[in-house]
């Protein structure tokens, strides 16, 4: 218990470029009602090794906000090899529109080949999406996060009552921190509603994934995403053959698993 | 003024099949917080010559509710000749699923030919939609309404702050009544929200237009309807090149024009 | 028999604008190996009351050719009320691109309403397409042809071995002529192959129906047309639930029925 | 020159499972007018380490034919990470329909990441497709071919006058053989026309990629493939922004480059 508390004390950059010890939980409380821009600024100014994880959906607002704060901000997307053609086009439009440093992370060829050889290209419909997400998303993400001290995600509380209702605006990443390496996760949109995100997109003329014009709200891999009906909960468009409580791909697994302390 | 008041007194069927004078405004007040089913039952039991106007969109809930009250209820759609292929398929699925008496109303051939000869097939983008709607929707509707004493629509207050905020659950039809012929309009869904309509559709396994799976919410003619973005107001998918206050096709024109009394 | 021969003698315009008696069969022989442009010029110069029937598909080459000969040539399309949205857009693009006099012919409202009331919107899948085509295509066409002395179609021999193998480049219209009114039909593309038509379209930058970019070759009404596979015969995309020999909508019925007098 | 001649003498399996020296050019002549099935049988019976390269398009006929000869035949596809969703679905349908041993080969993660980091996700539109194909197709193919003695492709002469007019039914693979390792390439469909391939598919009820129902003929990666117009040459649907003579992805580069000897 004590060890756990200690892990929450991390070192951030101060104005004099020297490390300063900070209590993450105190920071989360302090920023819990700040704007997404404030939280983003905190993330970008506190860490040199920080990057935004961009899914190719409405979390593009983070890219828009961040590039106003730090134009060459690092942004990465998980290119699972199974994204919609529309999503690839959108990622590239974002890459061209903003002066960001953009990366797409690819899964390990051998791991993908082994999965397909043994179970085919759609095993997730039978076995659940965890195995495939593990190879195509979590693996490349884990590799990338090893060289980061903090990352920024587009998670929001309103995305899922089952798994995201208690997200903090900043937290120690319970899934990807290691005993040797504390990782901080910022969720600047945690308290925003989907309606606020879309107001921002329209008001600021932010580019968006053209799938949003065809009934898609939450967007992931092509075989695992579908359009939803009007007034349907957005996560019903993801892994619809599984239970609501399982609808996390592993990036934010701690949402579900570590919600204790 | 007195004449106007008098016009609101109409004759409805009572249990003994004899006419009974009723004050429409009193009825509207009495039913203002009743369920859609109650209002529909009132409509179907008060009039022999009554029919439901079905647009091919989420107002299918009216057909579902009505067919439980009166299985061979009359339902008509305005086949403008420019509906989506998906809407034609949906209309026919509804016709086959329910024991209703279904009609599709067609526009006058000469009037359509004249419009196209003079202005082409897409004049509404330049001249506004009123002329085309007048020929393809209002004309056939007016003809049909002449043989009805009452009709039922799927209008809801929440569809448009600009034009539909004050719809009554039952009203004298200010647009289609004539001095010789009082027409009553029932709006059983006036007080429902879109979310309630969609809850009903999903809970009762009501068939729906497949366009709703592609980002379409409000659905009209193909060239004049488009999908909307998440959290965009539904009427932004209709006649999007025009101002919000003009977004009535003429069926419910009185919503805008006659809002006086 | 003699009367039949005589019927083939029709009167055409000569240079001095006076009628000149012509033997149609002789003309057909004389023009059997002429170019489509030659045949079109014959049609447009021989008759004042002549119009091109334009289906909204690759017969657009006739419009392109004709508008070079006579810019304000009359062109009509049969707007069945069930065309593809893409076809309506294409018709209007053609109307705007060329200085032609364009008309869209609409079916009789009462006839359409009766059919739908009795059999629904897709009766052709059960009863065959003749009844629906009769109302939506043949009726309006017959009405229009009454005021014409000649019409021009895009029929080609290579479209169907079963029904179109012996089309003449000009013929007395066996289906729509009446004892009182001889009607001449020109088929300038009779001897062209589909490949030649498409070479013309591409070489001359003629606009084409965007459905041709999605596997559609022959294009009719939306519910009765489908894309075909590579190297599939083009008429397999029309009324595919019926036998090949029935695949005429009635416009060119004589192709099948009257093939020999 | 002599060395080159010598390389064409390769060792194949005979009935007694012992190597037998064979002159490839003589074999090519001997089989030049044999059926695809005969050529396939030669390939499968001559080599233990042989596999079919399956693009996910109409070369599915090879899988159908081969699985009748040797049900557990090895089939691999190059999963570039940018195939159409429809192609992934089709690959899996083929994998489930036939008892084959199916593999999908993935590109090296680091190589893909580097390309995207430097040039984005659509560099091929500017720089040509060779670099991207090199990473996503040729690399994984080269790796796989190292453990094979022969492979089978669906190349046909009629696919391209510019690059495929002289394909032999069997040949030493000039692109992927190494001084230490001779690789034989079989092209059983070399002499078939596209029409024959499609006749086979329809006659034998072979599953096909649903893109073929939308105007797609030749099918590669999603950003680099498009539907073609009726009667357009099939390779015009591939890398359409480049010259015809460059339209090989590198798998069959020797078609163009090594056509000397």
């Amino acid at each position: 218990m004590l060890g756990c508390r200690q892990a929450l004390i991390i070192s951030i950059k101060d104005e004099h470029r020297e490390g300063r010890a900070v209590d993450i939980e105190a920071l989360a409380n302090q920023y819990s009602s700040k704007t997404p821009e404030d939280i983003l600024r905190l993330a970008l100014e506190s860490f040199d090794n920080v990057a935004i994880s961009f899914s190719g959906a409405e979390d593009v607002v983070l890219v828009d906000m961040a590039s106003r704060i730090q134009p060459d901000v690092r942004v990465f997307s998980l290119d699972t090899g199974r994204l919609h053609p529309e999503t690839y086009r959108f990622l590239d439009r974002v890459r061209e529109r903003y002066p960001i440093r953009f990366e797409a992370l690819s899964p390990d060829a051998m791991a993908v080949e082994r999965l397909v050889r043994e179970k085919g290209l759609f095993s997730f419909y039978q076995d659940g999406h965890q195995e495939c997400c593990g190879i195509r998303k979590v693996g490349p993400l884990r590799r990338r996060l090893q060289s980061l001290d903090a990352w920024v995600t587009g998670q929001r509380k309103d995305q899922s009552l089952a798994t995201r209702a208690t997200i903090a605006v900043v937290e120690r990443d319970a899934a990807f921190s290691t005993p040797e390496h504390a990782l901080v996760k910022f969720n600047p949109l945690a308290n925003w509603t989907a309606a606020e995100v879309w107001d921002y997109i329209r008001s600021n003329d932010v580019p968006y994934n053209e799938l949003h014009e065809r009934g898609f709200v939450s967007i992931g891999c092509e075989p695992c995403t579908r359009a939803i009906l009007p007034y349907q909960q957005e996560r019903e468009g993801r892994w619809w053959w599984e239970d609501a409580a399982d609808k996390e791909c592993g990036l934010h697994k701690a949402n579900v698993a570590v919600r204790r302390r």
Side-chain angles (χ1 to χ4, degrees), chain A:
Chain A
M1 211 47 193
L2 192 74
C4 184
R5 262 323 278 168
Q6 284 173 333
L8 295 171
I9 308 297
I10 57 130
S11 172
I12 68 170
K13 212 168 70 177
D14 77 355
E15 294 106 88
H16 311 292
R17 308 286 295 181
E18 281 161 37
R20 187 162 61 89
V22 169
D23 181 323
I24 286 285
E25 226 163 273
L27 210 57
N29 285 333
Q30 184 188 341
Y31 274 78
S32 65
S33 51
K34 301 258 183 173
T35 66
E37 285 90 343
D38 287 337
I39 300 161
L40 258 175
R41 185 169 296 109
L42 174 68
L44 299 179
E45 293 182 350
S46 301
F47 293 95
D48 283 325
N49 281 319
V50 59
I52 296 172
S53 170
F54 172 39
S55 78
E58 81 282 11
D59 55 352
V60 65
V61 299
L62 289 177
V63 178
D64 187 87
M65 291 170 176
S67 71
R68 295 169 198 249
I69 298 168
Q70 183 188 308
D72 68 341
V73 61
R74 257 183 248 141
V75 175
F76 66 81
S77 294
L78 299 169
D79 173 6
T80 62
R82 300 294 287 276
L83 302 181
H84 293 81
E86 293 84 355
T87 299
Y88 288 114
R89 290 199 286 271
F90 176 50
L91 293 178
D92 217 54
R93 260 200 308 143
V94 169
R95 178 187 163 273
E96 295 201 332
R97 162 86 166 259
Y98 298 100
I100 57 174
R101 284 175 284 169
F102 177 78
E103 295 166 281
L105 309 184
S106 294
D108 178 64
M110 295 303 104
V112 173
E113 290 186 3
R114 189 179 321 113
L115 176 63
V116 174
R117 196 166 50 236
E118 289 170 8
K119 302 190 171 183
L121 285 152
F122 295 87
S123 61
F124 32 82
Y125 291 143
Q126 275 76 49
D127 297 350
H129 70 277
Q130 303 292 352
E131 183 175 19
C132 187
C133 282
I135 291 169
R136 293 184 187 264
K137 295 176 110 176
V138 180
L141 175 65
R142 185 183 303 280
R143 176 165 50 81
R144 186 70 187 87
L145 293 180
Q146 279 166 2
S147 59
L148 293 177
D149 295 320
W151 65 309
V152 180
T153 88
Q155 288 189 99
R156 301 191 321 271
K157 289 176 183 165
D158 82 340
Q159 286 172 322
S160 171
L161 273 181
T163 65
R164 299 192 171 183
T166 59
I167 298 169
V169 298
V170 49
E171 58 187 348
R172 179 178 175 275
D173 190 318
F176 293 101
S177 290
T178 60
E180 299 76 36
H181 179 235
L183 181 74
V184 177
K185 182 159 74 163
F186 291 87
N187 306 304
L189 303 175
N191 298 317
W192 264 24
T193 62
E196 286 173 298
V197 171
W198 279 98
D199 276 352
Y200 184 96
I201 289 175
R202 277 196 295 267
S203 305
N204 293 278
D205 199 29
V206 176
Y208 55 80
N209 192 322
E210 61 193 282
L211 291 172
H212 290 305
E213 288 175 338
R214 283 182 255 157
F216 286 79
V217 180
S218 181
I219 298 176
C221 284
E222 187 276 339
C224 296
T225 303
R226 62 175 180 182
I228 57 172
L229 289 173
Y231 301 93
Q232 197 169 16
Q233 210 286 330
E234 68 172 85
R235 297 299 278 188
E236 294 189 52
R238 304 289 298 279
W239 308 298
W240 54 91
W241 63 94
E242 303 184 19
D243 282 344
D246 293 330
K247 292 191 179 181
E248 294 292 342
C249 64
L251 273 62
H252 308 301
K253 193 174 47 187
N255 289 337
V256 188
V258 194
R259 199 64 60 207
R260 33 91 253 186
R261 233 178 327 173

